[in-house]
Structure formats: structure tokens, C-alpha cells
Amino acid sequence: MAPFVLPALESVLPHIVLHHMSSALDGQRDCQITIMPSLFPLLNSVLTCPSPRGWKQWEEKRSGILVRKPKRTATTMERQKRSDSQNDNPFQVLTEELIFLILDFLETAPLDKKSFSLTCKAFYAAEARHRRALRPLRAEHLPALAARYPSVTDLDLSLCPRVGDGALALVAGAYAETLQRLDLSRSRWFTGSGLLNVGARCGSLVELDLSNATELRDAGVAAVARARNLRKLWLARCKLVTDMGIGCIAVGCRKLRLICLKWCVGIGDLGVDLVAIKCKELTSLDLSYLPITEKCLPSIFKLQLLEDLVLEGCFGIDDDSLDVDLLKHGCKTLKKLDISGCQNISHTGLSKLTGISGGLEKLILADGSPVTLGLVDGLNKLSMLQSIVLDGCPVTSEGLRAIGSLCISLRELSLSKCLGVTDEALSFLVSKHKDLRKLDITCCRKITDGSIASIANSCTGLTSLKMESCTLVPQQAFVLIGQKCHYLEELDLTDNEIDDEGLMSISSCSRLSSLKIGICLNITDRGLTYVGMFCSKLKELDLYRSTGVTDLGISAIAGGCPGLEILNTSYCTSITDRALISLSKCSNLKTLEIRGCILVTSIGLAAIAMNCRQLSRLDIKKCYDIDDSGMIPLAHFSQNLRQINLSYSSVTDVGLLSLASISCLQSFTMLHLQGLVPGGLAAALLACGGLTKVKLHLSLRSLLPELLIRHVEARGCVFEWRDKEFQAELDPKCWKLQLEDVMQ
């Protein structure tokens, strides 16, 4: 049994080890149960009861206690003694309120919470009453879950590909009084009948996500209108919903505060107008890519509580449609405005929009008009502006210098893929906005060490810096980042000239949780060793195609960063099983990409499987020496695995069938598996009942029975057929040169 939490007085908490637990484990073999020190402060504050009879021995032996081991046979006298022992069980003094406090404390540690609930029947029942959120993998599990967990308020069915009306009727019946949030964002097969059940019976429902319900029509949306208390509704990509359906929502759900209609291309001015008129409490409105014009704008700008307005990709709105008289009376509360991709709105239209609210805090202008002096002049009125996103916009030096001269204090600035960014303009900008916390200069290919020196010297409080593919920045510039920016938590240096000296300097940023140094051909194990020594909070590390890294560097990371959750070592061709064995110490590892690591075998993968039980995503494409012997440990230990890429490996039908025992498995990719035959593939597809997406080579399409494909699709799985030829791996330097040619 896994370690669990033993609530008791603080005086007896340290180092307690029980070798057996009363009748809850009666008949089981001896097991060791340890205490998590992180709970000491909590329990110290909530447990003040005096020691009952039987606790004196615990207080005398503060390091632990041995409970009498059960015998194989029990006489009447022994059973009576056991009953007396139960009466002295310290767990009995804990009230449900205290147990709930402990479970609250374990909310971020699901494995510990599960172990806690398995301690005894009382804890098992208490955990069921305490649980408020569920995220099942399949809809067929709902009857059992509804019977066990009666108090659920948040139900996430996004992992269930097929949710029918029957399942929704069950949900409505089981949680009619408690359900507040329901997520169906990736589910299909339900109709208006099922939604009517939920809307009519769940009176406490305040949030509903129906995104990606591409088959949902007006009748289904009209059923949602029965949920009178609904506050938040997501309908993204519900392309068959029209003005009539959204009109029913507007009339029935007048308490709405957030509605997302992104890519609902059947909704036009009339539907949006109805929503704005009827739902006067709206604070967030997403109209991305809707075919709307200026006709619906008057109603939108009369919303007195609107804070977040998204008009991304609304090509029907232009400068002429933004009438000054129309805008001057409403939306005084607007804090975030997104007009990304609205290329028909120039600096003239932007000036009109920004005149709506002087309290605007975030402005997103990505992929829009050029950033010129005229555009920036329209921002002078925004005294509260903290964040500007200009991704993909052509910029001029005058425009950037004008942003630097704004009488505001920017906290976030994104210039990703902006053509025209120069050292002089960027240096001036950052020198004026020294309170920047997040800066994105990805693919600003003209900047050099001058810009980096200005950033490091001026913006010492940066927590996030993204500068992928800034290829003109020399090696010595990265040393400055480590010397000056000690508060960095996120750093993306992908495809740069950083070397070990730069990594050594950056390792002084002890708060780093995400570090991306893929396609950095100058780094070696020496640089990674510094990162492992000083960046103990690291959770994500990307080493994609950084071919100077070997087992020693990975071992240093594994030893110094025990909380690592995401690792990408794809095409680091010097890595072997030793690296994976070292990584097996990182028990929190959730995503592992070792694509193209040709020296890795099933031995290393088995070590990962046995020790990294939270692994949910695995990519072993082009790991030619991983075969069925690596799949069997995965099937046995990696029960949280949801996505796997087996392409070009040596896995056969046997290994594929063994993976069917992983109930969480939802997606796998299998291209060019030489040992795979149609019969074995068919058996695996039938056995993996939770699949939602499968990528196969087109040549297998004609070899699988059509009836089988239809059956798997009816369970909610989507097939992607790829006609891709076998590709040999390129040398990393040749690959990078080809990439640079394409970019030029």
C-alpha cells in the first residue's frame, strides 16, 4: 500500500511508522505506512484534543510504534482483543470536519488522497462525501461514480468521447441539487433531449461548456435555455447554431456573465444583438471569427459591465463602422480588448475603440495593422494599460520608440514574429518600461547582444523571457541574463547560440520552472550540470535536438530537479538507457519525449514505467530498439498513460495488445511498425475501449474490416490516415541548415 497520511497530535507525528492498521487491513500482509511531513503544520493547528487511553505508549516512543501483527487464525478471545484495540484507535477521535480539512490539504496530491481514502472504511466513506470534482475517462463509469460520490459540484466529461442522452439523464438525476459546472467540451453524441434534462433539473448549474459540439443545432441550444441560473456558457465551434438558437439562450439565460461564440459561423448580427440586449450582466464576450458587422455594435457597447471583449478575426468590422457617437456612451468598464487579425481596423479605428474606456489594461493587436507612430498615438489615453500583444505585426522603429514614450508602466509586451524590430528601438523601449515582467521577442531575427544587454540591465524583474530563434545574439550575451534577471521563472532560448558558460550563469536563476534550450548545439553536459545543481524548482526542460547532451547531463538534471514533470530529449542521439534509469527518480514525470534517441532500449523504458507512475504522454518514435518487452512494464505500471507514439519502433502485436490494459489510454500513433499485422491491430483496437484518436498509415485502411472501423468510430474514436513514406534521420547540423534556408 502506498504511503498515506496519519492524523494525530503534533507531538507524536514525526517519524511514525505503523506496520499494520487495525481491522481495515485485516488479513493482509504487513505494510509500511509513513507520514508526510508537509501535513505537520496543518495538523498542529487543528488537533488540540488530549491524548485518549492507549496513546501514552505513542508519546513515550515518539519515533513510532509497533501494532500487534494479526495471526492467521483468530480465536474468540483474539477477536475480542482486536475489538478492544479498535476502541483505542486514534482515528475515532477525528471528526468529519477534521478529515475534510486534511482532504482539502491533499487536493493537489491525488495519489496521496487516494491512499488516504484506502486507510479504513471510515476514511473511504468520508472521501466520497468530501469529493466535489469528477473527471471520468468513460461515460459508462458514471453509474458507479454517481453512486459513490453524492456531492459532486464540478463534472468534467471532456475525456469521454461518447456521452449520450442517457448519461446526461443519469447526471441530471444524481446531481440535480449539487451540480454547478459541467464540461462537455470534447464530448459528442448527446442531443437536445439530454441537455434539456440537465437544464431543467440542475437548478444550481452556473457553468456549461459545449465547445466542439459540431453536431449541435438550435433545438439543443434552446434546451440549454432552461438553465435559468447559468452564468458562463462556451459554444466555441458549434457551427450549426444560428441566430434562432442563440436567441433562445439570450431570452432564457439572462444572468449570463460570460459567453464564448468563437467560430459559431451561423450566428450573425441578429443573434449577437439579442445576447447584448437581454444579457445585461455580461462581463466577457467572445465573438471571434463571427460574420458580424457594425449593426450589432450599438448593443455591445451599451453593456455597462463588459470587461473582456474579443473581436478576433471579425473581418466585417472596419474603421468606418466604428462611429464615435456610437462608442462614447458605453463599455466604461472594459479592461481587455482583442482585435487580432482585424486588418480592416487601422490606427484610426483603434483610436476610436481605445476611447471607449480609459481603464483598458490589456490590448491584443496580433496579426493586425503595422505598428506605426499613428497607431501608438491612439494608446496615449490608456493610463491603466499594462499588457500589449503585437505578435506578427510589422513594426517600425518609430512605433516601438513611441511605445517606449507612453506615460504608462507596461508589465507585459509580446513582439513575437514581428518584422522590423531593431536593437536601437527595442533598447529604448525596455529602458523606459523597467517594470516589465513578461517579454516575448521570439523570431526577432535582427536583434543582437545590444538588445539583450538593455533587457538585462533595465528589466531585472522579468519572470518570463521568450527569445526563440534570435540567431544573431552571440554566446556572451546570455551570461548577462543570468547575472541580472534572477527572478526568471520561464526562459525560452530555443535555437540560439547559448553555450555552457551561458547555462552556468542562467543556473543562478533559482526560480526557473520552465527552461527551453532545444536546437542549442553548443551546450553540453557541463552546462546542464549547473542547471541541475541550482535550479531545483525546474518542472519543464526542452532539449530537442541539443545533441551535445549525453547521459551525464540528464543524470545531473534528474538528481537536482526531483519535481521535473515535462522532458523533451528528442533526437539527442547520445542518450542511452542510463539516462532513463536516472530519470526514473523523478516520480512526478508526466510527459517524456525521447523521439529519435536511437540508443535507448526497452530496459530504460521499463525503469521509467516502474517508477514514474504519473506518466501520461510518451513519444518513442524512431526508438528502434524499443520492443514488446518495453510495453509490458508500461501496461502494468503506467496506468495514467493517455497518449503514446510508437511509430518506427520495434513494437509488434503482442506489445500493442498489452497496452490495452491501460484504461486511460486515449490516443496512439503507429506509423511504419514493421511487426504489426492487421489481425493484431484489429484486436488492439477492439480491446482499447477508451480510444479517442488513432493515427495509422493509409496502407492499413484497406486491410482492416470496414465493420471494425465503424464500430470503433461509434465508440467516439477518430481515425487519421497518413500517407507518409519512411524517412531516414538527418544529421542535426544539416537539419538546422535546411531549416534556416526555409526561414529565409
Side-chain angles (χ1 to χ4, degrees):
M1 179 176 290
F4 74 97
V5 181
L6 175 63
L9 293 178
E10 189 273 339
S11 60
V12 297
L13 274 172
H15 314 302
I16 294 177
V17 177
L18 299 185
H19 293 274
H20 190 71
M21 285 307 305
S22 63
S23 60
L25 301 178
D26 194 12
Q28 299 183 22
R29 66 179 184 270
D30 290 349
C31 58
Q32 180 171 307
I33 306 171
T34 59
I35 306 304
M36 288 186 296
S38 58
L39 280 179
F40 294 171
L42 170 71
L43 296 177
N44 183 38
S45 64
V46 299
L47 296 178
T48 56
C49 56
S51 299
R53 181 169 60 89
W55 285 24
K56 291 183 178 179
Q57 295 178 356
W58 286 24
E59 294 173 347
E60 292 172 358
K61 299 183 179 180
R62 295 170 68 90
S63 61
I65 184 171
L66 292 177
V67 179
R68 185 180 295 107
K69 294 183 179 180
K71 298 180 180 179
R72 293 185 178 179
T73 59
T75 63
T76 303
M77 183 177 296
E78 288 170 343
R79 285 195 295 270
Q80 182 63 39
K81 288 182 179 180
R82 186 180 301 158
S83 177
D84 293 340
S85 175
Q86 290 176 4
N87 292 333
D88 291 336
N89 191 338
F91 294 146
Q92 293 181 349
V93 304
L94 293 177
T95 65
E96 187 172 88
E97 181 182 3
L98 294 180
I99 295 176
F100 279 14
L101 281 173
I102 295 170
L103 288 169
D104 286 341
F105 195 80
L106 294 176
E107 203 64 46
T108 57
L111 294 180
D112 291 335
K113 189 175 184 179
K114 181 178 180 180
S115 297
F116 183 92
S117 69
L118 295 176
T119 303
C120 60
K121 291 181 179 179
F123 283 8
Y124 186 78
E127 192 273 334
R129 294 191 298 273
H130 173 270
R131 184 177 288 272
R132 297 293 183 267
L134 279 180
R135 197 184 189 196
L137 292 169
R138 303 182 193 176
E140 50 264 36
H141 296 160
L142 282 173
L145 292 172
R148 167 152 166 70
Y149 301 108
S151 305
V152 169
T153 60
D154 298 6
L155 182 59
D156 185 349
L157 298 178
S158 61
L159 296 180
C160 303
R162 186 182 180 115
V163 178
D165 292 339
L168 291 184
L170 186 149
V171 169
Y175 302 121
E177 301 297 327
T178 62
L179 190 63
Q180 297 178 10
R181 298 171 185 85
L182 178 60
D183 189 344
L184 295 165
S185 60
R186 296 184 181 178
S187 305
R188 293 182 294 168
W189 305 99
F190 56 85
T191 66
S193 176
L195 293 175
L196 181 62
N197 254 318
V198 173
R201 300 176 67 180
C202 300
S204 300
L205 189 66
V206 293
E207 295 184 17
L208 178 61
D209 194 341
L210 298 175
S211 299
N212 305 302
T214 53
E215 301 300 319
L216 190 65
R217 297 179 180 272
D218 289 339
V221 176
V224 175
R226 297 290 299 274
R228 305 294 185 186
N229 293 315
L230 208 60
R231 300 292 195 277
K232 297 181 179 181
L233 176 63
W234 290 267
L235 294 171
R237 287 169 290 280
C238 294
K239 299 182 179 182
L240 299 182
V241 176
T242 69
D243 291 336
M244 183 176 295
I246 203 64
C248 294
I249 292 288
V251 173
C253 305
R254 299 198 178 193
K255 296 180 180 180
L256 276 176
R257 296 181 181 177
L258 177 150
I259 186 166
C260 175
L261 302 176
K262 185 174 184 178
W263 281 112
C264 293
V265 293
I267 298 174
D269 290 322
L270 178 60
V272 174
D273 196 52
L274 283 170
V275 169
I277 291 173
K278 298 295 183 180
C279 305
K280 297 185 181 299
E281 298 181 17
L282 276 175
T283 60
S284 179
L285 181 60
D286 189 344
L287 305 175
S288 301
Y289 301 101
L290 263 60
I292 57 176
T293 65
E294 73 279 359
K295 294 180 181 179
C296 64
L297 295 182
S299 300
I300 293 175
F301 292 124
K302 287 179 182 178
L303 290 169
Q304 297 300 310
L305 302 177
L306 192 62
E307 297 180 357
D308 184 357
L309 177 60
V310 183
L311 298 173
E312 180 181 359
C314 293
F315 304 112
I317 300 176
D318 55 23
D319 292 343
D320 295 334
S321 63
L322 299 172
D323 192 299
V324 175
D325 294 332
L326 172 70
L327 305 177
K328 66 182 180 181
H329 295 298
C331 290
K332 300 298 182 182
T333 56
L334 199 63
K335 294 182 179 179
K336 177 184 174 183
L337 177 62
D338 185 348
I339 53 173
S340 301
C342 294
Q343 297 183 356
N344 293 327
I345 299 178
S346 67
H347 67 274
T348 304
L350 178 62
S351 179
K352 297 176 184 178
L353 282 172
T354 54
I356 296 173
S357 171
L360 204 64
E361 297 177 359
K362 185 168 185 176
L363 184 60
I364 304 177
L365 306 174
D367 301 312
S369 299
V371 181
T372 61
L373 189 59
L375 184 140
V376 178
D377 283 342
L379 307 182
N380 281 318
K381 316 164 190 177
L382 305 178
S383 59
M384 304 295 291
L385 192 62
Q386 297 183 10
S387 175
I388 302 178
V389 178
L390 300 170
D391 297 351
C393 293
V395 301
T396 63
S397 295
E398 293 78 11
L400 284 183
R401 292 180 68 87
I403 292 176
S405 299
L406 290 174
C407 298
I408 55 177
S409 181
L410 286 179
R411 310 279 287 186
E412 299 180 13
L413 177 63
S414 184
L415 300 170
S416 176
K417 301 178 183 178
C418 287
L419 299 177
V421 178
T422 63
D423 282 338
E424 180 186 2
L426 183 57
S427 297
F428 178 81
L429 191 155
V430 297
S431 68
K432 297 296 183 180
H433 295 284
K434 297 185 177 182
D435 291 330
L436 274 176
R437 293 295 179 266
K438 295 183 178 181
L439 178 62
D440 189 346
I441 49 175
T442 296
C443 294
C444 293
R445 298 180 181 275
K446 293 183 179 180
I447 67 171
T448 66
D449 54 341
S451 291
I452 302 305
S454 297
I455 292 170
N457 290 317
S458 301
C459 306
T460 56
L462 277 177
T463 59
S464 173
L465 176 60
K466 298 179 181 179
M467 49 177 295
E468 176 183 348
S469 298
C470 295
T471 50
L472 294 183
V473 176
Q475 297 176 354
Q476 61 270 22
F478 298 98
V479 176
L480 277 175
I481 295 175
Q483 291 175 346
K484 302 290 185 177
C485 303
H486 296 296
Y487 298 98
L488 280 173
E489 298 173 6
E490 180 183 20
L491 182 59
D492 187 350
L493 302 176
T494 304
D495 188 19
N496 275 290
E497 296 300 318
I498 185 173
D499 60 4
D500 291 337
E501 298 301 320
L503 274 186
M504 180 176 67
S505 178
I506 286 170
S507 67
S508 63
C509 304
S510 58
R511 302 186 184 188
L512 267 182
S513 61
S514 175
L515 177 60
K516 296 183 179 181
I517 44 177
I519 324 179
C520 294
L521 305 183
N522 298 319
I523 64 173
T524 68
D525 297 331
R526 187 169 74 90
L528 278 187
T529 300
Y530 290 112
V531 174
M533 289 172 59
F534 301 110
C535 300
S536 59
K537 296 181 180 179
L538 200 65
K539 292 185 177 181
E540 178 181 6
L541 179 62
D542 188 346
L543 297 169
Y544 176 79
R545 290 188 184 270
S546 293
T547 52
V549 175
T550 71
D551 295 339
L552 292 176
I554 300 300
S555 298
I557 293 294
C561 309
L564 195 66
E565 297 179 0
I566 302 174
L567 178 64
N568 185 352
T569 60
S570 296
Y571 301 106
C572 294
T573 52
S574 298
I575 287 177
T576 71
D577 289 335
R578 292 184 179 181
L580 297 193
I581 293 171
S582 300
L583 279 173
S584 64
K585 303 173 185 176
C586 301
S587 58
N588 293 324
L589 194 64
K590 297 177 181 177
T591 298
L592 178 61
E593 298 183 52
I594 52 175
R595 173 184 303 199
C597 296
I598 56 177
L599 300 180
V600 169
T601 72
S602 297
I603 296 174
L605 185 59
I608 293 290
M610 287 187 290
N611 296 288
C612 304
R613 305 294 181 91
Q614 297 188 46
L615 191 67
S616 61
R617 184 168 178 260
L618 178 64
D619 188 345
I620 54 173
K621 178 180 178 180
K622 294 187 179 179
C623 294
Y624 306 113
D625 289 334
I626 291 182
D627 54 19
D628 296 338
S629 61
M631 298 301 102
I632 296 173
L634 276 179
H636 185 72
F637 296 106
S638 301
Q639 288 300 308
N640 289 311
L641 192 65
R642 293 182 180 174
Q643 179 179 339
I644 187 169
N645 188 342
L646 302 170
S647 301
Y648 299 89
S649 67
S650 299
V651 176
T652 69
D653 304 338
V654 176
L656 199 57
L657 280 169
S658 67
L659 294 179
S661 63
I662 304 177
S663 60
C664 291
L665 190 61
Q666 293 188 312
S667 171
F668 57 58
T669 301
M670 297 175 293
L671 300 176
H672 297 288
L673 287 184
Q674 300 300 321
L676 189 63
V677 297
L681 175 59
L685 290 173
L686 286 173
C688 297
L691 288 176
T692 59
K693 183 166 67 174
V694 176
K695 292 182 182 180
L696 297 171
H697 196 272
L698 184 61
S699 61
L700 294 171
R701 180 72 170 83
S702 59
L703 301 178
L704 293 173
E706 187 65 29
L707 194 60
L708 169 71
I709 294 175
R710 291 180 182 177
H711 172 74
V712 176
E713 287 178 336
R715 295 190 311 198
C717 182
V718 176
F719 284 93
E720 292 187 14
W721 304 99
R722 300 293 180 88
D723 187 12
K724 189 174 182 180
E725 297 181 358
F726 186 92
Q727 293 180 342
E729 184 55 36
L730 293 173
D731 177 78
K733 293 185 178 180
C734 295
W735 176 88
K736 186 173 181 180
L737 289 173
Q738 287 187 3
L739 178 64
E740 290 176 352
D741 290 340
V742 171
M743 296 302 295
Q744 292 174 356

